[in-house]
Amino acid sequence: MTAHSYFDLHVHSTDGSDDAGGTVEGYCKWVEARRKSGYHIDGFVLTEHRRYVADIDYTALAEQYGVTILRGIEVETDVGHVLVYGINDDFLARFDLSDIALPYAEVFSAAEESGGIAVGAHAGRPRIGLVEHVGERGVSLETVGIIEALNGGSSDYENGRSFDLAEEHGLLTVGGSDAHFVSALGRCLTEFDTVVTSNEELVTALRGGEFRPVRVEDTREGATRKELPSAAHIPATSGQGDLGGDAIELDESAIGQEVHVGSLEVTLHTIAEYCEALEEVNPLYTDAEWAEREGPYGSIIAPPGILNTARLRPGPDPQIRFGDQSFMAGSRLETFEPIRPGDTIEAFTQVKEVYEKTGRSGRMVFVVRRTRYQNQDGVDVAATEGSMVLRKVKALDG
Amino acid sequence: MTSQHNPLEQRFFDDVNLGDEFEELQEPTTEHVLQFMGRTGRRGEDDPGADRFTDLTTARSQGLERPIVPGNMSMAMITRLVTDWMGPLGHIIQLDVSYRRPVLHGDRIRSVALVTDAEVAPRVHLDLSLENERGERPLQGTAIVTLPTRS
């Protein structure tokens, strides 16, 4: 009987990916829990965005949970994202990993020459997967041998396009969850017909070709495998912009400079108004008598979301000249102390970071602002981080 | 946008297990969005980009199929799922969300939270997501909350 092993080949963590919420220990605990439910997951590969994180030692975690933790990277190329396994100094010396438009053919060749192997990530996604580039630009697949066709973050249609490409061009296929959050790990996996315990063995197994993409449900003993997706579904979002271009112009002196951007007077009335707008009925925020008698703070407090109602000035402007549209990309709220009626909250904002990456809509620039909220006693009560994405868009007809 | 959890009902750390999942179904309409924006001061002459949240023509000129739900409102939807589940003595330590696709007016949204760690009292870690009827997850995130213990 063949000794199969099951690996999630595409995982992002808070140790190296700006948009991930899953910790490596959280992933290990999740694997442990999935095993208790009868699923088979041997390990996972950390493939952080544009960063090879080699300086964190996961040995203790791996031993504690009995999970094999391997490392690769997800880089961005002129034909979309590419997963590289078996990374070494030779490969790292050849590229600036922060570049969002690396030459794809060189990435695939360099991985092979340096003892590793490259895989076209989420091949069916618009802009950042191979399918569109092969179909629209006639990109050559000469250096490409494997694509990720079963991707946990892609729609069935997108995955179906990947399988179609693989069949048409004789490519091998793998599965990966593309997990950014703990509970996503293992949704899609790769089944190897051999035992894998190290980065070197992973490369050997991928070069050997004895593997296939599976869903986590398929790893249960006696499971009947579901059909893999076809492209005969409704298409998801269409591509919008380009993947590369000139360097972004910005005023770097604005980064890290904290300024006062406004204040918020919190009263029983403003708390009541906010609760009404959100149909909030938690008595901690709405019932003075209950809050005094039963609540942990001795009085009504404000829901933390009330900070969103503050009319704040935008703060330092890094003057980025890119794109014609901005969207919220992420929000973080950290609470430290309760906000009470009668508080005057002062807000201080700084631009924490500016960076770029590519996604379904093409090239994007992210601006991360951190705002600190301080009460009249000089105590920080909360902090928020907001990430805005700037991009170029095409209008839809009609 | 009604809640399926009674926020007066207190949840205790002792009763929470890894893998527990809870959800609410929501369908944010144009009326809901207008109400949210009006109440939270999002609408007005100081916010020219706000039209894409309410106006079809503006939304389509920006490559969107329909007007979209503001990110703050999506965050409020997922926050409310958590606060309703926790009960009044629960406390959100940190809530972190990533907006991966737009939520469109009229989307049928399933707000889902899943317990990913409940080993060390009183902290509970949650994965959060909004899922639409097309099988997409427009919002994903995490929360760390504290719950009271029974002892």
Side-chain angles (χ1 to χ4, degrees):
Chain A
M1 193 175 160
T2 313
H4 292 301
S5 55
Y6 296 87
F7 276 79
D8 189 332
L9 297 186
H10 190 166
V11 176
H12 300 277
S13 80
T14 52
D15 285 345
S17 293
D18 56 290
D19 55 351
T23 63
V24 176
E25 182 163 19
Y27 286 130
C28 290
K29 288 180 179 177
W30 189 248
V31 170
E32 197 176 44
R34 297 262 87 184
R35 287 175 179 168
K36 281 180 187 163
S37 301
Y39 300 112
H40 189 156
I41 303 175
D42 291 285
F44 56 88
V45 189
L46 293 168
T47 50
E48 312 292 8
H49 291 294
R50 307 176 301 281
R51 274 184 72 192
Y52 184 64
V53 183
D55 54 345
I56 302 176
D57 186 359
Y58 297 118
T59 311
L61 277 180
E63 283 174 5
Q64 184 182 347
Y65 293 97
V67 176
T68 303
I69 305 171
L70 306 178
R71 287 175 229 238
I73 187 174
E74 183 174 13
V75 295
E76 299 182 23
T77 77
D78 48 4
V79 298
H81 297 185
V82 174
L83 300 163
V84 185
Y85 307 105
I87 298 282
N88 56 28
D89 290 344
D90 184 12
F91 179 85
L92 294 173
R94 298 197 196 190
F95 301 105
D96 168 9
L97 299 178
S98 65
D99 188 341
I100 59 163
L102 292 172
Y104 85 98
E106 286 177 37
V107 168
F108 275 87
S109 302
E112 190 76 22
E113 289 159 15
S114 62
I117 193 161
V119 171
H122 37 66
R125 276 198 217 167
R127 313 309 298 148
I128 53 171
L130 268 166
V131 171
E132 205 167 84
H133 297 276
V134 173
E136 289 178 8
R137 292 168 46 203
V139 158
S140 163
L141 292 173
E142 197 181 332
T143 56
V144 180
I146 310 174
I147 59 168
E148 183 190 43
L150 196 62
N151 173 278
S154 299
S155 66
D156 276 357
Y157 173 79
E158 291 166 346
N159 283 332
R161 298 205 314 170
S162 303
F163 282 109
D164 290 349
L165 181 80
E167 195 175 333
E168 191 180 333
H169 293 271
L171 305 173
L172 297 173
T173 57
V174 295
S177 68
D178 203 353
H180 287 72
F181 299 94
V182 167
S183 57
L185 185 129
R187 270 189 197 137
C188 300
L189 297 153
T190 300
E191 178 186 71
F192 292 99
D193 292 348
T194 178
V195 174
V196 172
T197 61
S198 66
N199 290 307
E200 293 74 21
E201 287 179 3
L202 173 65
V203 172
T204 304
L206 286 169
R207 288 184 171 189
E210 298 299 317
F211 56 82
R212 62 208 59 84
V214 293
R215 296 188 179 89
V216 73
E217 297 82 9
D218 301 331
T219 69
R220 267 190 148 144
E221 212 173 309
T224 310
R225 297 205 169 177
K226 275 193 252 168
E227 225 174 277
L228 292 168
S230 84
H233 292 271
I234 302 164
T237 48
S238 60
Q240 288 279 347
D242 300 324
L243 292 181
D246 296 336
I248 301 299
E249 282 182 46
L250 74 147
D251 173 11
E252 303 232 7
S253 69
I255 298 172
Q257 184 193 126
E258 189 183 74
V259 301
H260 180 248
V261 290
S263 57
L264 176 70
E265 302 284 341
V266 181
T267 65
L268 280 171
H269 178 69
T270 58
I271 294 172
E273 266 203 337
Y274 179 83
C275 290
E276 197 184 329
L278 285 175
E279 299 174 353
E280 177 65 76
V281 292
N282 188 326
L284 196 56
Y285 312 132
T286 59
D287 185 338
E289 204 176 292
W290 185 95
E292 195 174 326
R293 196 180 62 242
E294 308 273 345
Y297 305 107
S299 75
I300 269 188
I301 61 167
I306 202 163
L307 295 171
N308 285 329
T309 65
R311 297 293 195 104
L312 304 179
R313 295 181 290 280
D317 180 4
Q319 296 183 31
I320 296 165
R321 291 181 187 87
F322 178 78
D324 46 20
Q325 190 186 59
S326 64
F327 275 103
M328 283 178 79
S331 301
R332 167 180 288 188
L333 167 69
E334 299 166 47
T335 64
F336 310 126
E337 296 291 335
I339 301 169
R340 299 172 184 277
D343 278 356
T344 300
I345 307 295
E346 305 292 345
F348 303 87
T349 292
Q350 61 169 295
V351 176
K352 186 183 166 191
E353 198 182 358
V354 176
Y355 62 94
E356 57 180 309
K357 61 196 277 190
T358 52
R360 284 182 175 88
S361 57
R363 190 184 192 187
M364 302 178 288
V365 177
F366 290 74
V367 182
V368 183
R369 287 187 170 80
R370 183 173 177 86
T371 302
R372 185 169 60 84
Y373 297 89
Q374 192 178 75
N375 69 16
Q376 64 282 358
D377 300 321
V379 176
D380 283 353
V381 294
T384 57
E385 275 188 25
S387 175
M388 292 299 291
V389 57
L390 311 175
R391 62 175 204 166
K392 291 176 182 167
V393 296
K394 289 177 187 163
L396 297 181
D397 296 334
Chain B
M1 301 226 294
T2 54
S3 167
Q4 290 159 351
H5 297 276
N6 177 3
L8 281 171
E9 190 181 312
Q10 185 56 50
R11 187 158 315 264
F12 292 92
F13 180 85
D14 317 56
D15 305 326
V16 174
N17 295 299
L18 192 151
D20 285 356
E21 188 173 303
F22 49 101
E23 66 174 58
E24 283 180 3
L25 301 175
Q26 298 174 315
E27 193 170 333
T29 61
T30 301
E31 196 180 320
H32 284 125
V33 172
L34 287 169
Q35 190 181 26
F36 180 87
M37 292 175 71
R39 296 281 184 159
T40 57
R42 185 68 221 275
R43 210 172 168 202
E45 63 288 348
D46 57 340
D47 191 1
D51 278 357
R52 65 168 175 259
F53 302 124
T54 53
D55 179 60
L56 179 63
T57 308
T58 307
R60 290 190 70 81
S61 74
Q62 296 186 11
L64 300 159
E65 193 184 318
R66 301 198 293 276
I68 61 171
V69 172
N72 279 351
M73 184 169 166
S74 297
M75 189 169 183
M77 286 160 63
I78 203 80
T79 305
R80 189 171 159 203
L81 171 72
V82 176
T83 53
D84 284 357
W85 175 78
M86 292 192 305
L89 301 183
H91 177 67
I92 294 177
I93 302 285
Q94 185 178 306
L95 196 137
D96 201 346
V97 301
S98 169
Y99 306 97
R100 307 184 79 82
R101 290 168 186 255
V103 176
L104 306 176
H105 288 202
D107 275 356
R108 289 194 298 281
I109 297 292
R110 183 173 164 251
S111 308
V112 188
L114 197 146
V115 176
T116 58
D117 194 351
E119 267 184 12
V120 183
R123 288 195 172 208
V124 176
H125 294 244
L126 303 168
D127 268 8
L128 311 171
S129 61
L130 297 184
E131 297 174 10
N132 64 28
E133 67 270 41
R134 298 178 291 283
E136 300 163 340
R137 292 187 180 83
L139 177 149
Q140 286 184 277
T142 59
I144 302 173
V145 305
T146 59
L147 295 176
T149 51
R150 289 190 184 279
S151 50

